[in-house]
């Protein structure tokens, strides 16, 4: 099975791909999220794993746009609890570290830990695992990466500080995406939808009333102005329900009240561990 | 007047600060958004300008968190239409360019333009204006920056391609922030609020019904799970209204239906140009 991910071996995307599909996968490493959809469309990848939401920045809307634009579907989700480690070349301790390089979000998630080490310089890099790889390849003493436990093994580094994330309950939500084929998992109980509404007091209220009347529980809502149409808004909504039938019936009622409705995916909810 | 911004002279933040406060300001350049609040709290800056939302990525929630955490207030907003130019050392044309360096969001906003120039390498950098500055300082021929028109003047560069953004109607929304002092602009007609709700079907519906009954129009809504409290959600909402009294009366009613309510700012709406 060929799985496209953002980042390289040892990244959090890799960790999620392994947790879902096991070790027997071929990994297609992408530099950017936007490289992923063409791999699916051109059948070079069977599925892809993509971060879609975290507890600090909220939803990653450009990734929703990619799913929409390339007519892909969300076929599953995965909540990865955030566990950050500080990795460095073996034989070093925290006192040896002069610089920490990582993704801005990882640096942000460990902000409180760094307050105790004001002498360490923080450098933003694009890829958590790439920093780990470079530390090993270029034998960079004095530099540490914030990365996953699998990066420790892959790049033969040492954990010099464990669980350094500020909020121990943080997580990142990933989605599994594939080309749209009409197949949905049996007994799906969650869906991601996008719809457009006129900017009128109460237009969203109508939709939420339909959800409530049909016992659909909303687990996420986000509005986005539509620049080409100043009086319309797009809404990205996730709903949870008991049965596919309940969802399908409800969505038919919603369809009459919105300007456009797209179903980005129907899948099994992966509750937080 | 001392104004803190993210980025350096010639950045889009600088452009906004100039448009609001004029040229007679002292600019405090910050490397990161998180450097801004301490400058306000320690009275080193009078006000700050901070990007808060754009039409591709939506709201920048970590910036809302900074406003909340440091007990600051939003005292105004500014919509900046996105106009991206390609800047390079004088005497060059597009054919001379081998590399474009800019902020990931600026690169994303010009994606369609680059499709016609597959030979040009795109490199992500943190600061649009810093790239322009370095091109001049280090006399980097063959490299171009995506930046604002004021960067052209400040760093003495040439515009080699104009208005290269894909969507001509794109904008970034900025907020003006200051320490909380109880002062609000007379006749404010917009407010940014944050509230917490239990994750129950219909709990948000109640709030939207109160907004509707009182003619408050919602211009933005975004939910964020609260990791420490798995059954609660935080909502970031902007509302527009006719009079301060209308807002104050409504918000008193809302207060009884939410777990916590914070008013992040009351200000005059700055309609899109």
């Amino acid at each position: 099975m060929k799985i496209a991910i953002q980042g390289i071996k040892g990244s959090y995307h890799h960790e999620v791909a392994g947790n879902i599909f096991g070790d027997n996968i071929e990994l297609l490493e992408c530099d950017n999220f936007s490289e992923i959809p063409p791999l699916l469309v051109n059948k070079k990848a069977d599925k892809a794993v993509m971060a879609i939401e975290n507890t600090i920045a909220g939803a990653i809307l450009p990734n929703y746009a990619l799913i929409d634009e390339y007519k892909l579907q969300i076929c599953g989700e995965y909540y990865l609890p955030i566990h950050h480690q500080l990795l460095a070349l073996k034989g070093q301790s925290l006192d040896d570290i002069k610089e920490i390089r990582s993704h801005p979000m990882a640096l942000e998630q460990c902000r409180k830990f760094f307050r105790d080490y004001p002498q360490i310089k923080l450098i933003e890099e694009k890829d958590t695992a790439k920093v780990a790889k470079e530390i090993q390849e270029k034998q960079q003493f004095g530099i540490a990466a914030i990365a996953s436990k699998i990066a420790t093994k892959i790049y033969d580094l040492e954990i010099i500080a464990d669980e350094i994330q500020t909020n121990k309950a943080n997580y990142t939500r990933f989605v599994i995406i594939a080309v749209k084929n009409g197949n949905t998992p049996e007994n799906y109980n969650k869906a991601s939808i996008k719809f457009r509404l006129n900017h009128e007091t109460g237009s969203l209220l109508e939709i939420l009333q339909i959800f409530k009347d049909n016992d659909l529980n909303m687990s996420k809502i986000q509005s986005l102005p539509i620049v080409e149409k100043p009086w319309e808004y797009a809404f990205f909504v996730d709903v949870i329900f008991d049965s596919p039938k309940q969802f399908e019936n409800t969505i038919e009622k919603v369809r009459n009240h919105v300007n456009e409705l797209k179903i980005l995916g129907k899948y099994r909810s992966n509750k937080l561990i």
Side-chain angles (χ1 to χ4, degrees), chain A residues 27 29 42 55 58 61 71 84 109 135 156 185 212 237 251:
Chain A
L27 218 56
E29 303 172 336
N42 300 325
T55 41
L61 287 187
K71 297 186 175 36
H84 286 311
Q109 286 165 341
I135 287 175
D156 196 26
K212 192 195 169 188
V237 168
I251 219 67

Side-chain angles (χ1 to χ4, degrees), chain A residues 100-115:
Chain A
I100 295 172
R101 299 181 186 169
S102 197
H103 190 277
M105 192 47 67
L107 292 168
E108 176 74 28
Q109 286 165 341
C110 304
R111 203 146 51 109
K112 281 205 180 137
F113 175 81
F114 301 136
R115 280 191 198 153

